[in-house]
Amino acid sequence: MRKLLAEWKGYLMSGISYMLPVVIGGSLVVAVPKIIGLIFGITDYTPYKSGIWFYMNEIENVGWIGIGLICLVLGGYIAYAIGDKAGLAAGFIGGQLAANTNMGFLGALVAGFLAGYTARWCKNHIHVGEKYESIMPLVIVPLISTMVVAIVLGVLLKGPLTWINVSLVAWIKGMSTSGVSSVTLALIMGAMIGTDLGGPVNKAAWMAGNVLLAEKIYMPAMIANVAIAGIPLGYAVATTLFKNRFSPEFLDTGRSDWFMGFVGITEGAIPFTLVNPLKLTPINMIAGACGSASAVALGATAKIPPVGGIYGFISLQNGWAYLVGLAVCALIIGVLAPLAVDFRDTKSEDDTTSAEEDDIKIDFQN
């Protein structure tokens, strides 16, 4: 069972890795024209039928097309990870079906796994003569895998998955617009981002935030962005404030974490966390939760797809609150991490334990 769960995690991570550039590209192409318009006091381009603002609207619409591809790409590349190229067609079709019928990312996940495993089964169990081998990946596998997706997802699970997704979206939307609930949501998502720094829990929070962009719900993505940028910034701050607690190698890593935080790459915190995960993971979680909650409590809101990293404040209302949230997250790690762990000793707990075991001497002399 553990092996199967590890495989599923790998397939999901593969789909997310292909989805990531689509989300970022689409979000940026929506955000840039929006920000330019806001500078000139324009919040809606639709009344303009010609001129520069008309073209800004056209550019923005291209970005929305990218965001609309989230489910298609996720479904297709989960299927690709499982069943190789043969699974792509059914995965793409199932992902788009999920988007068109309000099954959302849940439907895309089901479509990807269905298409991928069906394609793999076809390749392993359907054998044709040598003359007809070329039609397997072109006709037989796409036909069977797409038919399975159509029956299971388009008929059997369409109703339940649509209800679950619509209810989930409504619940998150309600939490995003309510003061106390939005802070609670920020505490949960910020802690999830800090849990495993790019692992399945982190990516679950990230994906929940970004797939909701297609539903025009932006707050969860902003919440995730605070913790994603703030945590690596925390270790950059720590190496600046407490240089005597870090080895030269970690001081170099801390300098690179200024960049990691600036652009929003939470994996920049991994080398530090591995020194003592038992102590540093809770600190990362507390920092992510407090940073995200601070930004929300102070009034940071997203009316357009938010941009990640430090510069993400330009895409938000009350962007100063976003910057305060980043500072809160970074300072918690910057102060607590070097007090809890001495980074001059670069051995992890596992290495220390192994070393202690290796140091045990057995003397057979009398």
Side-chain angles (χ1 to χ4, degrees):
M1 186 63 183
R2 186 177 298 175
K3 181 181 177 183
L4 181 61
L5 290 175
E7 286 182 355
W8 287 353
K9 170 191 166 185
Y11 301 146
L12 178 59
M13 291 298 124
S14 179
I16 290 174
S17 70
Y18 281 102
M19 186 182 79
L20 181 59
V22 177
V23 172
I24 293 173
S27 298
L28 288 173
V29 173
V30 170
V32 170
K34 283 282 191 187
I35 293 168
I36 293 173
L38 290 172
I39 292 172
F40 291 92
I42 297 171
T43 58
D44 184 10
Y45 292 130
T46 52
Y48 296 92
K49 304 302 178 187
S50 62
I52 183 65
W53 304 123
F54 169 78
Y55 293 115
M56 286 290 177
N57 188 51
E58 294 294 292
I59 293 171
E60 182 186 327
N61 288 338
V62 172
W64 282 115
I65 290 172
I67 292 172
L69 294 175
I70 288 174
C71 290
L72 179 145
V73 174
L74 182 62
Y77 283 101
I78 288 175
Y80 175 72
I82 300 169
D84 207 5
K85 283 196 229 175
L88 273 174
F92 283 143
I93 293 169
Q96 191 59 43
L97 172 66
N100 291 349
T101 56
N102 285 326
M103 286 185 280
F105 76 95
L106 292 175
L109 291 177
V110 174
F113 281 96
L114 268 177
Y117 277 112
T118 304
R120 180 191 287 182
W121 183 89
C122 290
K123 289 195 298 181
N124 292 338
H125 293 86
I126 298 178
H127 304 287
V128 296
E130 190 174 339
K131 290 184 185 177
Y132 305 103
E133 281 184 357
S134 61
I135 69 170
M136 275 289 294
L138 291 175
V139 179
I140 296 175
V141 176
L143 170 63
I144 295 175
S145 56
T146 305
M147 185 63 72
V148 169
V149 168
I151 294 170
V152 176
L153 197 64
V155 179
L156 299 178
L157 297 181
K158 179 180 177 182
L161 286 177
T162 299
W163 178 82
I164 292 171
N165 187 63
V166 170
S167 300
L168 181 62
V169 168
W171 175 65
I172 294 175
K173 190 172 185 178
M175 291 192 74
S176 300
T177 55
S178 168
V180 176
S181 296
S182 61
V183 173
T184 302
L185 181 64
L187 287 168
I188 295 169
M189 292 188 67
M192 290 176 69
I193 293 294
T195 300
D196 51 4
L197 306 175
V201 177
N202 173 288
K203 282 295 186 285
W206 177 88
M207 187 173 72
N210 283 275
V211 297
L212 290 169
L213 297 179
E215 308 286 345
K216 301 196 174 180
I217 300 173
Y218 310 126
M219 180 72 82
M222 183 207 75
I223 289 170
N225 288 343
V226 175
I228 288 170
I231 291 172
L233 281 176
Y235 288 98
V237 169
T239 57
T240 302
L241 297 179
F242 298 90
K243 291 182 179 180
N244 61 331
R245 298 283 289 175
F246 292 87
S247 68
E249 292 80 6
F250 274 122
L251 289 175
D252 287 339
T253 305
R255 283 188 281 271
S256 70
D257 268 10
W258 286 112
F259 172 77
M260 295 286 196
F262 183 80
V263 299
I265 303 175
T266 192
E267 285 85 350
I270 290 176
F272 296 93
T273 305
L274 288 177
V275 173
N276 195 321
L278 291 178
K279 290 182 179 179
L280 294 174
T281 298
I283 292 174
N284 293 343
M285 293 172 67
I286 291 168
C290 292
S292 295
S294 297
V296 172
L298 291 172
T301 55
K303 300 296 183 184
I304 61 175
V307 180
I310 291 180
Y311 51 85
F313 76 94
I314 64 175
S315 61
L316 305 172
Q317 289 187 332
N318 296 326
W320 63 269
Y322 177 86
L323 294 176
V324 171
L326 289 177
V328 168
C329 180
L331 285 172
I332 289 173
I333 292 175
V335 173
L336 293 184
L339 293 179
V341 175
D342 187 349
F343 291 91
R344 289 171 297 185
D345 181 7
T346 57
K347 291 182 180 180
S348 67
E349 285 185 337
D350 291 340
D351 293 335
T352 303
T353 302
S354 298
E356 289 174 353
E357 290 174 353
D358 292 340
D359 288 342
I360 297 173
K361 295 181 179 180
I362 301 175
D363 190 354
F364 291 101
Q365 296 179 357
N366 294 325

